[in-house]
Amino acid sequence: MSTIKTRTTFSFAKYMKELGIMMIGGTLAFTGFETISGGEKFYKEVLMPSLQMLDAETAHRFAVKAAKYKMVPRQWTPDPPSLSTTVFGRKFKNPVGLAAGFDKDGEAVEGLLAIGFGFVEVGSVTPQPQPGNPPPRVFRLREDNAIINRYGFNSEGHAAVLQRRVQDRERPGAMKGVVGVNLGKNKESPSPIGDYVEGVKQFGGVSDYLVVNVSSPNTPGLRDMQGRERLEKLLDQVVAARDNLKLDQKPPILVKIAPDLTQKDKEDVAAVVTKREGFIDGFIISNTTISRPSSLQSDHKVETGGLSGAPLRTLATDTISDMYRLTKGKIPIIGVGGIASGQDAYNKIKAGASLVQLYSALIYGGPPVVSKIKRELGQLLEADGFSSVAEAVGVDHKAT
Ligand SMILES: Cc1cc2nc3c(=O)[nH]c(=O)nc-3n(C[C@H](O)[C@H](O)[C@H](O)COP(=O)(O)O)c2cc1C
């Protein structure tokens, strides 16, 4: 009896998945023009809901492939000059980037830049290939516009991702854009610091910036590396590895932190990084949260993992504000967490972010969310009399 039940459940799930894929295939085939031309309404009301018939991980894989084969709306018009900005020595045509975790293996960089992102972050990449946690490991909290994931650094590993980065950069006519690589560590690594040092050596020559990710909640012990002594040791070795690279332009190094740090943790991290001003080039704030706000509605709120999207928004902005204040605005910040509109991006910029990133909003709104955020951000800057993004960075602190 139980065998029959299991089999029935299994084939029903398979049927639903195939039905979903067929529907999306059909949608793409019949609406090819809209898919490429990218109406906001079409994506939000038609394409993304059909993608949501698939389980979250299958939809994620599908979306990466769509970007890889450029089945995405391209941005043809240039960004307005007010959105261009220079941060840690790199020029960005706009300040809205794709956060780590979408293109973990660097498969779709060119397609993602073509959507209109000002920069794309590949990874997290681990030295050795590893499968990550067993599925299911990504959950949509639809009622909350949020995601919980516990992927656990599924990665094809340094060698495979490096090969793609090299090929991408050498391909004649390849689209130019700022590409960062986010470094992680293997779950069973005997030398966690060694994993990051290896990442710097491997990707230093093919990255516009590198990220030391010590804040993913799904690798046991990883977040402990944000503690003062361990962080000092880690950053000193990572900086030494970067400075030893035989390159004309050595990549900036950023540290990605969690939104769940205590006040004391934040003070420690700020002190460690400020002491290395000029060597550590910035922060990414923040990764997903292990907290579960009481406002969450979805049944998936009980899943283990990191929460992202709308419920993370204020927590991430507050963390940006705290770190900007603690570092006296001297360390550039990339603000990320719950950005889905120009106002969300602007709030992070005013709190102290020089650039912003998003991920969860792409799952719910699809690629047109990028042009929407940029358009709205441009309008907000203009309305407040700013002629550039840089002028608005940290203004919340100046007002008080
Ligand atoms: C499915 C998923 C996978 C992620 N994987 C990574 C990762 O590998 N490395 C990392 O630094 N952050 C990862 N993140 C965190 C995002 O980069 C980002 O910090 C976080 O989701 C907050 O932004 P958002 O609210 O716009 O999604 C992941 C997020 C999601 C939703």
Side-chain angles (χ1 to χ4, degrees), residues 60 99-102 104 121 123-124 138 147 149 151 153 182 213 215-216 256 286-288 308-310 312 336-339 357-361 363:
H60 177 193
F102 179 80
K104 285 180 183 272
E121 193 170 306
S124 296
V138 205
I147 302 289
N149 93 84
Y151 267 119
F153 287 169
N182 179 306
N213 175 15
S215 47
S216 285
K256 185 165 180 179
S286 73
N287 216 311
T288 55
S308 57
L312 171 63
V336 49
I339 294 177
Q357 289 178 324
L358 60 95
Y359 182 164
S360 299
I363 296 176

Side-chain angles (χ1 to χ4, degrees), residues 52-339:
Q52 288 182 12
M53 290 187 67
L54 303 175
D55 69 82
E57 182 162 352
T58 308
H60 177 193
R61 282 174 207 257
F62 184 90
V64 173
K65 298 294 177 221
K68 177 174 175 173
Y69 295 108
K70 309 212 172 77
M71 287 296 292
V72 284
R74 278 184 87 96
Q75 180 188 311
W76 296 106
T77 48
D79 291 316
S82 66
L83 290 188
S84 75
T85 187
T86 301
V87 187
F88 41 76
R90 299 285 188 253
K91 274 193 89 162
F92 296 79
K93 62 188 170 107
N94 73 70
V96 184
L98 176 63
F102 179 80
D103 190 5
K104 285 180 183 272
D105 296 311
E107 294 176 77
V109 171
E110 209 170 313
L112 293 165
L113 286 169
I115 290 173
F117 280 113
F119 60 111
V120 168
E121 193 170 306
V122 165
S124 296
V125 192
T126 59
Q128 301 305 318
Q130 64 173 30
N133 291 321
R137 50 194 181 172
V138 205
F139 306 89
R140 298 185 195 92
L141 284 70
R142 268 181 229 171
E143 300 88 332
D144 307 295
N145 278 315
I147 302 289
I148 289 178
N149 93 84
R150 52 168 178 270
Y151 267 119
F153 287 169
N154 48 321
S155 172
E156 287 185 19
H158 283 178
V161 179
L162 179 64
Q163 196 184 7
R164 280 193 199 112
R165 289 303 311 123
V166 171
Q167 282 168 355
D168 270 1
R169 286 162 67 95
E170 288 178 352
R171 195 173 335 106
M175 188 166 177
K176 299 269 177 291
V178 177
V179 182
V181 174
N182 179 306
L183 305 172
K185 77 164 197 75
N186 280 115
K187 186 176 180 188
E188 310 287 353
S189 171
S191 164
I193 293 184
D195 280 14
Y196 291 98
V197 167
E198 197 49 35
V200 173
K201 289 184 187 163
Q202 294 291 329
F203 291 98
V206 294
S207 313
D208 294 305
Y209 68 89
L210 292 170
V211 183
V212 176
N213 175 15
V214 281
S215 47
S216 285
N218 304 310
T219 296
L222 188 87
R223 286 173 305 144
D224 298 341
M225 295 179 88
Q226 294 170 110
R228 190 173 192 137
E229 275 165 36
R230 296 190 66 185
L231 190 63
E232 290 199 310
K233 227 169 131 185
L234 168 66
L235 296 186
D236 283 343
Q237 294 196 34
V238 159
V239 167
R242 188 262 318 266
D243 292 345
N244 276 335
L245 293 171
K246 308 261 172 294
L247 294 170
D248 298 340
Q249 269 208 320
K250 299 183 191 198
I253 291 178
L254 317 185
V255 184
K256 185 165 180 179
I257 64 171
D260 305 314
L261 299 175
T262 63
Q263 184 58 25
K264 167 86 171 66
D265 293 336
K266 286 186 248 188
E267 286 167 14
D268 283 351
V269 171
V272 169
V273 170
T274 310
K275 205 167 130 195
R276 288 160 184 77
E277 192 191 337
F279 296 93
I280 294 296
D281 304 271
F283 284 116
I284 301 191
I285 305 172
S286 73
N287 216 311
T288 55
T289 176
I290 54 167
S291 70
R292 295 290 182 269
S294 57
S295 59
L296 294 181
Q297 299 296 315
S298 167
D299 290 345
H300 288 309
K301 66 184 174 192
V302 295
E303 293 293 345
T304 300
L307 172 72
S308 57
L312 171 63
R313 189 178 297 142
T314 308
L315 184 61
T317 309
D318 291 348
T319 312
I320 292 164
S321 199
D322 287 348
M323 295 307 290
Y324 184 87
R325 202 168 12 84
L326 288 167
T327 55
K328 302 190 169 56
K330 288 182 181 165
I331 311 287
I333 294 171
I334 300 182
V336 49
I339 294 177

